Amino acid sequence: MARHAGQRGAALITAILITAIATIAAVAMASRQHLDIRRTTNVIESSQAYLFALGAEEWGKQVLVRDREDNQVDHLGEDWATMLPPIDVEGGRVAGQIEDMQGRFNLNNLVIDPPPNPQGGQSANQQTGQQAVQQVSQLDMDRLQRLLQQLGLEEELRFAILDWIDGDADVSIPGGAEDFEYLGRELPYRTPNAKMASVSELLLIKGIDRDIYGALEPYITVLPEYTEINVNTASAEVLMAVVDGLNSADAEQLIDGRGTDGYASVGDFVGHAAVAGRLSGNEGLGVETNYFIINAESEFGRGRTSLYSLVVRDKNANVEVVMRAQGVY
């Protein structure tokens, strides 16, 4: 009798154990299914938010097309310079803003590539086995020096930036840095000796930390070709870097002189009393812009996207995307 009671007790414990295991398994499966559903939902919502951001990019491109068809002068009083406020769309929101990148100092201007052969094919240097030589733009080196001075940064940083971009392995003096400087670091790397693709590359350059980068970033850009600075959209800091001897009061006068329609020509800018003969010609300046950043912010459900699209616009009002990035350009 006792033996039967013991068998019944063991059977009961076994049944309880099996029930507990089955319950735990069911809860685990339900939890896993819930996580899978949430993960899938997040992917779908993030994808939809990205599509909304692409829609804002297309809006920006169409605004720039219409602007070029209307006139050849770009200034901050035009429609493209007006932020698209957040608007509700089905299931989410989207906002956009267009920024003139030629109102900033283009770091890639420090080096001028040799001109292409007008007849096409190889240049005379290439035909004779000689390498085409880049030129350092002293005009832009001086402007970067003045910008660094205004921001209270070391002027020698311009030489390290130049060595990062130029195509040779010669160290610029003072303050330059080539491969030898970077190969000795804990995580070694080489200088690209090519144009920058992103301003964030500055964080890899000798002497530049996040504080210096944060001070420089609002006034600089990197564009794939040599570009003029648009005097109608440049900040006071950039204008003081552009014109040697210009002080903050002069820069504000130049900004006020833009009026609502901007300077119609570089000649009007150069002829302003605040410039006072400090410039003799256009000297890398302009009143129109080819390169813009379209900033798009979108949300759908829990999905969030920040899309930065660098676009180029030609004189025929064709607008093409040069690159896209999510996060910070």
Side-chain angles (χ1 to χ4, degrees):
M1 196 69 172
R3 185 176 52 151
H4 291 304
Q7 290 175 341
R8 286 196 299 274
L12 179 60
I13 293 172
T14 300
I16 293 173
L17 181 60
I18 293 173
T19 302
I21 293 173
T23 302
I24 292 172
V27 170
M29 291 174 62
S31 298
R32 178 61 181 271
Q33 184 181 40
H34 177 75
L35 289 175
D36 287 342
I37 292 173
R38 172 51 59 191
R39 187 181 297 112
T40 301
T41 301
N42 288 341
V43 170
I44 293 173
E45 291 178 345
S46 296
S47 297
Q48 187 62 50
Y50 182 75
L51 291 176
F52 283 166
L54 288 179
E57 176 194 279
E58 186 61 31
W59 158 82
K61 290 168 64 177
Q62 294 305 313
V63 169
L64 293 173
V65 167
R66 290 196 300 270
D67 174 72
R68 175 54 74 236
E69 292 173 345
D70 290 341
N71 62 80
Q72 296 292 317
V73 176
D74 297 302
H75 56 85
L76 297 177
E78 296 187 293
D79 289 343
W80 64 261
T82 303
M83 179 184 295
L84 174 68
I87 57 175
D88 293 328
V89 293
E90 186 175 354
R93 306 182 78 191
V94 62
Q97 183 180 14
I98 301 173
E99 183 180 356
D100 180 354
M101 284 291 99
Q102 288 181 228
R104 300 186 179 201
F105 179 82
N106 180 9
L107 292 175
N108 286 334
N109 279 3
L110 296 178
V111 175
I112 304 173
D113 290 328
N117 183 12
Q119 285 75 36
Q122 293 183 324
S123 66
N125 284 336
Q126 290 172 322
Q127 292 171 3
T128 59
Q130 297 177 349
Q131 185 177 2
V133 178
Q134 291 178 324
Q135 292 182 340
V136 176
S137 172
Q138 192 57 50
L139 172 70
D140 291 288
M141 285 290 288
D142 292 342
R143 287 174 172 172
L144 179 56
Q145 178 184 12
R146 291 192 287 270
L147 180 60
L148 292 168
Q149 287 175 337
Q150 293 168 36
L151 300 176
L153 304 177
E154 293 292 334
E155 299 172 25
E156 293 181 359
L157 288 174
R158 70 190 190 278
F159 293 106
I161 296 172
L162 173 64
D163 282 346
W164 187 261
I165 299 171
D166 66 19
D168 61 49
D170 300 328
V171 177
S172 300
I173 297 175
E178 289 286 354
D179 284 350
F180 183 79
E181 165 71 27
Y182 304 110
L183 289 175
R185 299 192 173 186
E186 183 177 353
L187 294 175
Y189 52 90
R190 295 181 180 273
T191 55
N193 290 333
K195 293 184 183 296
M196 290 187 186
S198 168
V199 292
S200 62
E201 289 184 43
L202 285 174
L203 292 169
L204 298 172
I205 296 177
K206 171 189 172 184
I208 298 181
D209 57 21
R210 291 196 174 273
D211 290 337
I212 293 174
Y213 175 80
L216 267 174
E217 192 276 332
Y219 311 108
I220 58 173
T221 186
V222 292
L223 300 173
E225 60 181 324
Y226 195 96
T227 54
E228 297 178 337
I229 293 175
N230 188 335
V231 297
N232 284 329
T233 59
S235 64
E237 291 81 1
V238 172
L239 290 176
M240 286 188 285
V242 163
V243 184
D244 189 15
L246 202 69
N247 58 37
S248 58
D250 293 333
E252 290 301 329
Q253 286 185 41
L254 288 171
I255 290 174
D256 291 340
R258 295 171 181 166
T260 57
D261 298 324
Y263 294 104
S265 68
V266 177
D268 290 344
F269 173 82
V270 173
H272 193 284
V275 176
R278 294 186 176 105
L279 295 174
S280 58
N282 67 351
E283 300 180 34
L285 305 178
V287 293
E288 59 183 275
T289 292
N290 296 328
Y291 288 93
F292 297 84
I293 282 284
I294 301 174
N295 304 312
E297 300 281 342
S298 63
E299 59 184 67
F300 180 81
R302 296 188 179 186
R304 303 287 187 277
T305 293
S306 296
L307 182 66
Y308 299 81
S309 305
L310 176 64
V311 299
V312 60
R313 180 183 64 183
D314 63 23
K315 293 185 180 298
N316 297 319
N318 299 310
V319 179
E320 296 183 0
V321 176
V322 177
M323 64 166 290
R324 293 189 183 97
Q326 288 183 265
V328 178
Y329 167 70

